[in-house]
Amino acid sequence: MSRFIALRTASLLSASLLLAVGTTACSGDKDGTGLRTSPALTATALPTALTSQKPDWQPCPAPSIAQGGDGKAPGKLPDGTAWECATMKAPLDYARPDGDTIDLAMIRAKAMGGGKRIGSLVFNFGGPGASGVATLPEYDAAQSLRSRYDLVSFDPRGVGNSAGVTCLSDKETDERRARTHDLTETAEENKRTAAACAKKSGKVLPHVGTESAARDLDLMRQVLGDAKLHYFGISYGTELGGVYAHLFPKKVGRTVLDAVVDPAKDLVQESLGQAKGFQLALDNYLADCAKTPGTCPYRSPEDGHRRIAELLVKTGEQPLPTTSGRELTQEEAVNGIAQMLYSDELWPSLSISLSDAEQGSGDNLLTMADVLSGRDDRGHYSTMQAANTAI
């Protein structure tokens, strides 16, 4: 569950001010940054057929299951125009740019006018694994930037409709999530999942890393007709933006990096840092909850810490039932809580979910764990988790 989007309206509004006055990101391309790139890829030029392509922008259809769509096309923009979607061809392997290509899904809202147009503003919402095509229309606060920017996002390679990685079937994913594993069992499950990924997505797997995605950004910059990349990256999107700046320091435009990931940290350090972040969020939730005794299920922050720990111990011993027939395991209870700690707007839902769980119902926590896992209410999974693992 690392690096999933944690975006609040305030973040976008404050970033609007930064972009309006022309904040520019640092290049960050000196030695010791922790950003590792491939010399072979760095030296390879792209063919004109790719850099000069013209996307065929059309009104967007409903996002696909792979993108995490709910079957509904994005609504109209405030000025009555439609969101536009297109695809961009990119090399499967940047070391062989004349070889096979993949299609990258893109979405945009053209600038409304009212000010001199600056260019395109490209969003990445993190994950890795979040579909930008499905996510951008959900963030109304971004509309404040349309006076001077085309708002653009995309499904990074390996995600959604951009050669999305698939591994287990929906049923197999449900079965895996329903089981409780020790370390040995987890290692065996991971081996089986990796084998399934190689079988279903073996061609794309070696080419879905962050460096290739950063090169896609520069190709996108050229295809969109921009001299520099103006970029808004959130969580993992900050790492992608950092790698872009490392590879293309002279092409960095106005940039916001929100909830920054340190690319120099290894996986263990990163996981520990995230655990501290979740602990801080939990502490803040419980402190706020205690101020509203009418709706808070806990008498005090200390009471909340104790009872949540007890709840997790109980779900580890005996998963909670749900009306769907599925069960809430300890791992899924943790995931459900974590999903609602990403934003204080979800804290009231967290209070209700924890109260229900104490009364024996795992429905709400499992629903939120499903959101974190990219599962819809019909039992279908997006590519989010598979892409997260692959990237």
Side-chain angles (χ1 to χ4, degrees), residues 99-167:
D100 293 343
T101 61
I102 57 175
D103 288 336
L104 302 183
M106 301 186 298
I107 187 170
R108 78 171 180 183
K110 295 187 70 174
M112 290 188 298
K116 183 179 179 182
R117 181 181 177 277
I118 295 172
S120 305
L121 176 59
V122 180
F123 289 76
N124 180 277
F125 295 97
S131 164
V133 173
T135 304
L136 182 58
E138 298 177 6
Y139 288 96
D140 294 336
Q143 297 300 320
S144 63
L145 300 168
R146 278 188 70 206
S147 63
R148 304 190 70 186
Y149 296 94
D150 294 344
L151 306 182
V152 178
S153 194
F154 64 110
D155 291 354
R157 55 175 57 216
V159 176
N161 287 5
S162 296
V165 173
T166 57
C167 301

Side-chain angles (χ1 to χ4, degrees), residues 1-5 127-129 177 274 278 331-342 365-376 381-386 388:
M1 64 188 165
S2 65
R3 304 182 190 165
F4 282 89
I5 57 174
R177 290 178 60 200
Q274 188 177 47
F278 276 123
E331 181 177 350
E332 296 306 322
V334 170
N335 288 342
I337 293 170
Q339 172 64 21
M340 288 180 279
L341 290 175
Y342 274 116
L365 284 180
L366 186 58
T367 295
M368 298 311 295
D370 285 345
V371 172
L372 194 64
S373 298
R375 186 186 193 274
D376 65 23
Y381 285 87
S382 71
T383 63
M384 185 164 59
Q385 286 291 342
N388 183 279

